[in-house]
Amino acid sequence: MKYDHIMVRYSEIALKGGNRKMFLLKLQDNINRALKEYEGIKVKRTQGRVFILLNGHAPEPIIEKCRKVFGIHSLSPAMKLESDLEQIQKATLEALTKATDAQTFKIIVKRIDKTFPHRSQEMNQLLGSYLLKNTEGYTVDVHHPDVAIKVEIRNEATYVTSQVTPGAKGLPVGTAGKTLLLLSGGIDSPVAGYLAMKRGVQLEAIHFHSPPFTSERAKQKVLDLADVLTAYGTKINIHIVPFTKVQQTIFREMPDSHAMTIMRRIMLRISERVCRDNGILSMTTGESLGQVASQTMYSMHAINDVTSFPILRPLIAMDKEDIIHISRKIGTYDISVRPYEDCCTVFVPKSPKTKPQKEKIQKYEAKYDFTDLIDEAVAGIETVTRIPGVSSTDEFDGLL
Ligand code: ATP
Ligand code: MG
């Protein structure tokens, strides 16, 4: 008997009522995609669980891949066997002896198949006494066991598991629509994208690029960040906007103190156009309240004014330290801190307003019509698609 399956437990999906089937199909799809390099693997849905048939592959690397799939609560290598007392006894014995360093154990039986002749509580006792009789040096500890051996007697078969690896939690990517992530080369926006994906949202990204002030390497940095993010979901289209002319014009025509706010407003106007052209219903940024001048309540009020689209700000209440912690965990930090310039750092004014006023800005903007420049920028967008697993790194230090 050996661990020939992975048992996948999901949590929140179970609450989704009528949409449950859709959530599970998406989860199944996403697991299949994460494991596409493993030949012969099968992902099956049964009542309350998803099972991965390993078909000869070792469980560990498969579990490692699945830890990045949102919607999974936990994963366990599982032995599949007939619902037969003797077989179950043997499997639990094997699970116990395979658990290294364990001295105490506990049996947890779940009888889903009500036609199975022994009730859960009776099975706990039958299996517990069998293990004590057939081993030496083990004792039962129901409160803090070194190993908890779980037996699920299901309609189609029985599964025995012992080891549990936590999953990424959240909801399957692709169940909550699409957002356009404003992706800079910084630390924050990739983390914002990751957190949006965690709630089931699929990403497209937009990046404002200002050559020659920002280099090819700065653009590459953004593509590399997108690659890391693809490992948590699906492919990502990145819309790269030629932004040099717009930026130069802003800094030439608009007062220095309000240039940053006006630039942000134009970024959002362009982003909204991309949303409309691609059927995307929201935008996501890496803004965190009070982090810099453009992220005060006043600034957000003035910047937000140009669009009626919802803007998701998953980091809004987070401290920088916590954001950095996540970026390290998900593997974007080392890319984000590469010392390449981005368009905002090149054009930073000496003293940006922390309390820009909407009315003042509207007055400044009325003096110069940016429409043609915006049209030109949108027409010049280059869209690059990044596919999961093609160029992404595999460094991964576990999830939150
Ligand atoms: P980040 O670490 O994400 O760059 P930040 O702390 O540097 O954020 P800002 O430079 O004020 O903050 O940018 C705020 C948000 O605006 C970013 O999180 C990102 O979503 C968006 N943004 C900034 N610059 C760009 C850019 N060049 N292309 C696309 N989005 C951008
Ligand atoms: Mg930045």
Side-chain angles (χ1 to χ4, degrees), residues 273-315:
R273 290 270 294 268
V274 172
C275 285
R276 288 186 191 281
D277 290 347
N278 293 279
I280 302 170
L281 299 182
S282 73
M283 306 170 208
T284 298
T285 73
E287 289 163 303
S288 156
L289 196 56
Q291 198 185 81
V292 289
S294 60
Q295 298 177 24
T296 62
M297 190 76 81
Y298 294 92
S299 296
M300 280 188 219
H301 184 72
I303 294 167
N304 228 140
D305 184 45
V306 296
T307 180
S308 61
F309 274 55
I311 300 182
L312 311 185
R313 296 182 175 93
L315 312 184

Coordinates of all heavy atoms in Angstrom, one line a residue, residues 273-315:
R273 N -9.5 53.2 -20.4 CA -9.6 52.9 -21.8 C -9.3 51.4 -22.1 O -10.0 50.7 -22.8 CB -8.7 53.8 -22.7 CG -9.2 55.2 -22.7 CD -10.1 55.5 -23.9 NE -9.4 55.3 -25.2 CZ -8.8 56.3 -25.9 NH1 -8.8 57.5 -25.4 NH2 -8.3 56.0 -27.0
V274 N -8.2 51.0 -21.5 CA -7.7 49.6 -21.7 C -8.8 48.6 -21.1 O -9.1 47.6 -21.7 CB -6.3 49.3 -21.0 CG1 -6.0 47.9 -21.0 CG2 -5.3 50.2 -21.8
C275 N -9.3 49.0 -19.9 CA -10.4 48.2 -19.3 C -11.6 48.0 -20.3 O -12.1 46.9 -20.6 CB -10.9 48.8 -18.0 SG -9.8 48.6 -16.6
R276 N -12.0 49.2 -20.8 CA -13.2 49.1 -21.7 C -12.9 48.3 -23.0 O -13.7 47.5 -23.4 CB -13.5 50.6 -22.2 CG -14.2 51.4 -21.1 CD -14.7 52.7 -21.6 NE -15.0 53.6 -20.5 CZ -16.2 53.5 -19.9 NH1 -17.1 52.6 -20.2 NH2 -16.5 54.4 -18.9
D277 N -11.7 48.4 -23.5 CA -11.3 47.7 -24.7 C -11.2 46.2 -24.5 O -11.3 45.4 -25.4 CB -10.0 48.2 -25.3 CG -10.1 49.6 -25.9 OD1 -11.3 50.1 -26.0 OD2 -9.1 50.2 -26.1
N278 N -11.0 45.8 -23.2 CA -10.8 44.4 -23.0 C -11.8 43.7 -22.0 O -11.6 42.6 -21.5 CB -9.4 44.2 -22.3 CG -8.3 44.5 -23.3 OD1 -7.9 43.7 -24.2 ND2 -7.8 45.7 -23.3
G279 N -12.9 44.4 -21.8 CA -14.0 43.9 -21.0 C -13.6 43.7 -19.6 O -14.0 42.7 -18.9
I280 N -12.8 44.6 -19.0 CA -12.3 44.4 -17.6 C -13.1 45.4 -16.8 O -13.3 46.5 -17.2 CB -10.8 44.7 -17.6 CG1 -10.0 43.8 -18.5 CG2 -10.3 44.6 -16.1 CD1 -8.5 44.1 -18.6
L281 N -13.5 44.9 -15.6 CA -14.5 45.7 -14.8 C -13.9 46.5 -13.7 O -14.6 47.3 -13.0 CB -15.5 44.8 -14.2 CG -16.4 44.1 -15.3 CD1 -17.4 43.2 -14.6 CD2 -17.0 45.0 -16.2
S282 N -12.6 46.4 -13.4 CA -12.0 47.1 -12.3 C -10.5 47.3 -12.5 O -9.9 46.7 -13.4 CB -12.2 46.4 -11.0 OG -11.4 45.3 -10.8
M283 N -9.9 48.2 -11.7 CA -8.4 48.4 -11.7 C -7.9 48.1 -10.3 O -8.7 48.2 -9.3 CB -8.1 49.8 -12.1 CG -8.7 50.3 -13.3 SD -8.4 52.1 -13.4 CE -9.8 52.6 -14.4
T284 N -6.6 47.7 -10.2 CA -6.0 47.4 -8.9 C -4.7 48.2 -8.8 O -3.9 48.1 -9.8 CB -5.8 45.9 -8.8 OG1 -7.1 45.2 -8.8 CG2 -5.1 45.6 -7.4
T285 N -4.5 48.8 -7.7 CA -3.2 49.5 -7.5 C -2.5 49.0 -6.2 O -3.1 48.4 -5.4 CB -3.3 51.0 -7.4 OG1 -3.9 51.3 -6.2 CG2 -4.1 51.6 -8.5
G286 N -1.2 49.4 -6.1 CA -0.5 49.0 -4.9 C -0.5 50.1 -3.9 O 0.4 50.2 -3.1
E287 N -1.5 51.0 -3.9 CA -1.5 52.1 -3.0 C -1.8 51.7 -1.5 O -2.6 50.8 -1.3 CB -2.5 53.1 -3.4 CG -2.1 53.9 -4.7 CD -3.3 54.6 -5.3 OE1 -4.3 53.9 -5.6 OE2 -3.3 55.8 -5.5
S288 N -1.1 52.4 -0.6 CA -1.3 52.1 0.8 C -1.4 53.5 1.5 O -0.6 54.4 1.2 CB -0.1 51.4 1.3 OG 0.1 51.5 2.7
L289 N -2.5 53.7 2.3 CA -2.8 55.0 2.8 C -1.6 55.7 3.5 O -1.1 55.1 4.4 CB -4.0 54.9 3.7 CG -4.7 56.2 4.0 CD1 -5.2 56.9 2.8 CD2 -5.9 55.9 4.9
G290 N -1.3 56.9 3.0 CA -0.3 57.7 3.7 C 1.2 57.3 3.4 O 2.1 57.8 4.0
Q291 N 1.4 56.3 2.5 CA 2.8 55.9 2.3 C 3.6 56.9 1.7 O 4.8 57.1 2.1 CB 2.7 54.6 1.4 CG 4.0 53.8 1.5 CD 4.0 52.6 0.6 OE1 4.3 52.8 -0.6 NE2 3.7 51.4 1.1
V292 N 3.1 57.6 0.6 CA 3.8 58.7 0.0 C 2.8 59.8 -0.3 O 1.6 59.6 -0.2 CB 4.5 58.3 -1.3 CG1 5.7 57.4 -1.0 CG2 3.6 57.5 -2.2
A293 N 3.3 61.0 -0.8 CA 2.5 62.1 -1.1 C 1.3 61.8 -2.0 O 0.2 62.4 -1.8 CB 3.3 63.2 -1.7
S294 N 1.4 60.9 -2.9 CA 0.3 60.7 -3.9 C -0.7 59.7 -3.3 O -1.6 59.3 -3.9 CB 0.9 60.1 -5.2 OG 1.6 58.9 -4.9
Q295 N -0.4 59.3 -2.0 CA -1.3 58.3 -1.4 C -2.0 58.8 -0.2 O -2.4 58.0 0.7 CB -0.6 57.0 -1.2 CG 0.0 56.4 -2.5 CD 0.8 55.1 -2.4 OE1 0.7 54.4 -1.4 NE2 1.6 54.9 -3.3
T296 N -2.2 60.1 -0.1 CA -3.0 60.6 1.0 C -4.4 60.5 0.6 O -4.8 60.4 -0.6 CB -2.6 62.1 1.3 OG1 -3.0 62.8 0.2 CG2 -1.2 62.3 1.7
M297 N -5.3 60.7 1.6 CA -6.8 60.7 1.3 C -7.1 61.8 0.2 O -7.9 61.6 -0.7 CB -7.5 61.0 2.6 CG -9.0 60.7 2.4 SD -9.4 59.0 2.4 CE -9.3 58.6 4.2
Y298 N -6.5 63.0 0.4 CA -6.7 64.1 -0.5 C -6.3 63.7 -1.9 O -7.0 63.9 -2.9 CB -6.0 65.3 -0.1 CG -6.4 65.9 1.2 CD1 -5.8 65.5 2.4 CD2 -7.5 66.8 1.2 CE1 -6.3 66.1 3.6 CE2 -7.9 67.4 2.4 CZ -7.3 67.0 3.6 OH -7.8 67.5 4.8
S299 N -5.1 63.1 -2.0 CA -4.6 62.7 -3.4 C -5.5 61.7 -4.0 O -5.9 61.8 -5.2 CB -3.2 62.1 -3.3 OG -2.3 63.1 -2.8
M300 N -5.9 60.7 -3.2 CA -6.7 59.7 -3.8 C -8.1 60.2 -4.3 O -8.6 59.8 -5.3 CB -7.0 58.6 -2.8 CG -5.8 57.6 -2.7 SD -6.3 56.2 -1.6 CE -4.7 56.0 -0.8
H301 N -8.6 61.2 -3.5 CA -9.8 61.8 -3.9 C -9.7 62.5 -5.2 O -10.5 62.4 -6.1 CB -10.2 62.8 -2.8 CG -11.5 63.5 -3.0 ND1 -12.7 62.8 -2.9 CD2 -11.9 64.7 -3.4 CE1 -13.7 63.6 -3.1 NE2 -13.2 64.8 -3.4
A302 N -8.5 63.2 -5.3 CA -8.3 64.0 -6.6 C -8.0 63.1 -7.8 O -8.4 63.3 -8.9 CB -7.1 65.0 -6.4
I303 N -7.3 62.0 -7.5 CA -6.9 61.1 -8.6 C -8.1 60.3 -9.1 O -8.4 60.1 -10.3 CB -5.7 60.2 -8.1 CG1 -4.5 61.0 -7.9 CG2 -5.4 59.1 -9.2 CD1 -3.4 60.3 -7.1
N304 N -8.9 59.8 -8.1 CA -10.0 58.9 -8.4 C -11.1 59.5 -9.2 O -11.9 58.9 -9.9 CB -10.6 58.4 -7.1 CG -10.8 56.9 -7.1 OD1 -10.6 56.3 -6.1 ND2 -11.2 56.4 -8.2
D305 N -11.1 60.9 -9.2 CA -12.1 61.7 -9.8 C -12.3 61.4 -11.3 O -13.4 61.6 -11.9 CB -11.8 63.2 -9.6 CG -12.8 64.1 -10.1 OD1 -14.0 63.9 -9.8 OD2 -12.4 65.1 -10.7
V306 N -11.3 60.9 -12.0 CA -11.4 60.8 -13.5 C -12.0 59.5 -13.9 O -12.3 59.3 -15.1 CB -10.0 60.8 -14.1 CG1 -9.3 62.2 -13.9 CG2 -9.1 59.7 -13.6
T307 N -12.3 58.6 -13.0 CA -12.9 57.3 -13.4 C -14.1 56.9 -12.5 O -14.0 57.2 -11.3 CB -11.9 56.2 -13.5 OG1 -12.5 55.0 -13.9 CG2 -11.2 55.9 -12.2
S308 N -15.0 56.2 -13.1 CA -16.1 55.7 -12.2 C -15.9 54.2 -12.0 O -16.7 53.5 -11.4 CB -17.5 55.9 -12.9 OG -17.5 55.3 -14.2
F309 N -14.8 53.6 -12.6 CA -14.5 52.2 -12.4 C -14.1 52.0 -11.0 O -13.4 52.8 -10.4 CB -13.4 51.8 -13.4 CG -13.9 51.4 -14.7 CD1 -14.6 52.2 -15.5 CD2 -13.6 50.1 -15.2 CE1 -15.1 51.9 -16.7 CE2 -14.0 49.8 -16.5 CZ -14.8 50.6 -17.2
P310 N -14.5 50.8 -10.4 CA -13.9 50.5 -9.1 C -12.4 50.3 -9.1 O -11.9 49.8 -10.1 CB -14.6 49.2 -8.7 CG -15.3 48.7 -9.9 CD -15.4 49.8 -10.9
I311 N -11.8 50.9 -8.1 CA -10.3 50.7 -8.0 C -10.1 49.8 -6.7 O -10.4 50.3 -5.6 CB -9.6 52.0 -7.9 CG1 -9.8 52.8 -9.2 CG2 -8.0 51.8 -7.7 CD1 -9.1 54.1 -9.2
L312 N -9.5 48.6 -6.9 CA -9.2 47.8 -5.8 C -7.8 48.2 -5.3 O -6.9 48.4 -6.0 CB -9.1 46.3 -6.2 CG -10.3 45.7 -7.0 CD1 -10.1 44.2 -7.2 CD2 -11.6 46.0 -6.3
R313 N -7.7 48.4 -3.9 CA -6.5 48.7 -3.3 C -6.2 47.7 -2.1 O -6.4 48.1 -1.0 CB -6.5 50.2 -2.8 CG -6.7 51.2 -3.8 CD -6.7 52.6 -3.3 NE -6.7 53.6 -4.3 CZ -7.9 54.2 -4.8 NH1 -9.0 53.8 -4.3 NH2 -7.8 55.1 -5.7
P314 N -5.8 46.5 -2.5 CA -5.7 45.5 -1.4 C -4.7 45.9 -0.3 O -4.8 45.3 0.8 CB -5.2 44.3 -2.2 CG -5.4 44.6 -3.6 CD -5.4 46.0 -3.8
L315 N -3.8 46.8 -0.6 CA -2.8 47.1 0.5 C -3.2 48.3 1.3 O -2.3 48.8 2.1 CB -1.4 47.4 -0.2 CG -0.9 46.4 -1.2 CD1 0.4 46.8 -1.7 CD2 -0.9 45.0 -0.7

